[in-house]
Amino acid sequence: MLVLGIESSCDETGAAVVDERGRVWSDVVESQIDVHALYGGVVPELASRDHLRNVGPVVSQALAKANVKVADVDAIAVTSRPGLVGALLVGVQVAKGMAWASGKPLVGVDHLMGHLLSVFLRRGEPTVESPVPEFPFVCLLASGGHTALYRVDAPHAEAIHELGATRDDAAGEAFDKVGKLLRLGYPGGPVIDRLAASGDATKVTLSRPMAQKSSLEFSFSGLKTQLAQRIAREGVPEGQALADLCAAFQDVVVGSLAGKLDVAARREGVRHVVIGGGVAANRGLRARVQELAAAHGYSAHVPPLASCTDNAAMIAYAGAIRAGRGEHDGLDLCATSATVLPRTTRKGRGNR
Ligand code: KG4
Ligand code: ZN
């Protein structure tokens, strides 16, 4: 089965062709970073307009690179939730138009399902098979909009349970807000990651949020406030001091994410853990998750960078799984800002 996937939930316009085994035939991503960098964050109206400009060429390129025509694909998958509704509408309308014109099934995909299953994508030589996680596994999904731990018993929403999530900011949001405070441009995550590599985390003391071992919930807004207060007091550091502060901040975030993933894996008794979402591109997090897995005897599956940040290949694959189960949508498919995954963690101050 070949699926064309389209992604436009935030600030990346993507289209990809993927088969039901997760092999990536093409994966085209057009980033809008330059459009939003000026404003220090994503401007929804500008995102919608840029998706509208780019979606046609991006879909054509994805089909051309895969050397297929719309007539050759078995379904058209599109991110329909969650995300910026105006941005989602662009991809959803294009997918509907293509499905209607070609008579192919239309499959709406939850963006978070895409991130959760992105570990199954196979890039590069189709003959090279790297190990895939076995079900059940625990997944840490950490992106600009979401941060949560899930137990995944099978690749569909009814078999996925949230074990804990953030009570306030997402991890990527924290990276980006701190990047802004440190005048590192947008998005701050990759820049902090780079600077942290030459910094010494022990040079700066920061308190750890939601440090209780038993809690699988996260909190990052207090950490951001600690940094804001420090910067208001001492100004934005430069040179080595800047690298040390980035290292200390990243160390706290990574410690929280990897530490709770480890607690969840052992509590659930799973043999496999997975990371996904843009923050899973963080080198400190990738290394820490692998260290903890080796120390505690389970396997860590860390996808390549292109599978972590937003892309349409993960949407096409999640769409292939839905289509394989006989699930598809009508032309009344709506874009919405809510995920299909169950939410159990409340936002706001916790009592743990
Ligand atoms: O998954 P994603 O591409 O989009 C959303 O669905 O949100 O994640 C984007 C987020 C941004 O907040 C970005 O700063 C963060 O992922 N990010 C990183 C790194 N690369 C991207 N954060 C930390 N370290 C990185 N290397
Ligand atoms: Zn995402």
Side-chain angles (χ1 to χ4, degrees):
M1 188 200 300
L2 265 190
V3 176
L4 168 69
I6 301 174
E7 154 67 35
S8 70
S9 67
C10 190
D11 59 348
E12 257 100 28
T13 317
V17 177
V18 172
D19 66 26
E20 83 288 354
R21 294 181 59 194
R23 283 181 303 207
V24 179
W25 290 41
S26 67
D27 183 19
V28 179
V29 180
E30 179 71 39
S31 171
Q32 303 182 349
I33 283 179
D34 295 345
V35 174
H36 304 291
L38 201 62
Y39 306 93
V42 178
V43 182
E45 173 74 15
L46 296 183
S48 308
R49 287 170 187 264
D50 211 53
H51 285 307
L52 204 50
R53 246 188 311 273
N54 293 330
V55 70
V58 164
V59 169
S60 303
Q61 279 175 44
L63 291 168
K65 283 191 176 170
N67 203 17
V68 296
K69 299 194 167 27
V70 180
D72 302 323
V73 305
D74 299 289
I76 297 172
V78 62
T79 309
S80 58
R81 60 200 302 169
L84 301 169
V85 173
L88 287 166
L89 281 172
V90 176
V92 168
Q93 283 307 112
V94 167
K96 278 187 192 179
M98 291 182 74
W100 179 77
S102 64
K104 304 287 178 182
L106 173 70
V107 185
V109 171
D110 189 294
H111 183 82
L112 303 186
M113 288 294 295
H115 277 305
L116 285 173
L117 301 178
S118 63
V119 67
F120 293 102
L121 293 174
R122 292 288 157 262
R123 297 175 184 272
E125 285 297 307
T127 48
V128 177
E129 297 285 347
S130 41
V132 288
E134 286 163 28
F135 296 103
F137 61 79
V138 169
C139 180
L140 166 71
L141 198 169
S143 70
H146 302 273
T147 294
L149 287 163
Y150 295 97
R151 179 188 167 100
V152 182
D153 284 282
H156 41 89
E158 311 89 82
I160 298 176
H161 301 281
E162 184 192 288
L163 302 171
T166 181
R167 285 191 165 270
D168 42 58
D169 292 353
E173 192 180 350
F175 269 102
D176 295 342
K177 284 178 175 170
V178 167
K180 200 169 177 177
L181 288 169
L182 293 172
R183 303 198 194 113
L184 299 176
Y186 173 83
V191 188
I192 292 177
D193 187 3
R194 206 175 58 239
L195 289 168
S198 58
D200 179 353
T202 63
K203 290 275 175 1
V204 183
T205 309
L206 296 169
S207 62
R208 292 177 183 263
M210 307 288 272
Q212 302 88 330
K213 274 244 167 352
S214 63
S215 171
L216 294 178
E217 294 177 350
F218 303 95
S219 167
F220 297 109
S221 69
L223 181 61
K224 174 197 66 197
T225 306
Q226 277 186 70
L227 274 123
Q229 287 170 345
R230 192 186 169 91
I231 292 163
R233 226 173 31 239
E234 301 172 11
V236 175
E238 287 176 6
Q240 189 57 42
L242 175 63
D244 293 343
L245 188 57
C246 287
F249 165 74
Q250 180 167 299
D251 190 60
V252 173
V253 177
V254 165
S256 175
L257 294 173
K260 287 174 194 279
L261 172 61
D262 180 54
V263 171
R266 292 193 281 150
R267 194 177 292 171
E268 294 296 314
V270 295
R271 289 175 35 238
H272 298 263
V273 304
V274 168
I275 58 174
V279 179
N282 184 270
R283 282 175 288 171
L285 179 65
R286 298 166 80 84
R288 190 81 58 89
V289 167
Q290 276 160 330
E291 281 159 26
L292 286 168
H296 295 136
Y298 52 83
S299 313
H301 300 264
V302 175
L305 299 194
S307 296
C308 293
T309 49
D310 281 353
N311 65 87
M314 66 184 193
I315 302 305
Y317 180 68
I321 297 283
R322 278 201 72 202
R325 294 173 44 133
E327 296 174 3
H328 42 83
D329 293 284
L331 291 178
D332 56 352
L333 175 68
C334 279
T336 121
S337 58
T339 173
V340 288
L341 295 178
R343 280 205 62 121
T344 50
T345 302
R346 285 175 302 116
K347 290 267 181 173
R349 184 186 281 275
N351 54 5
R352 286 185 282 170

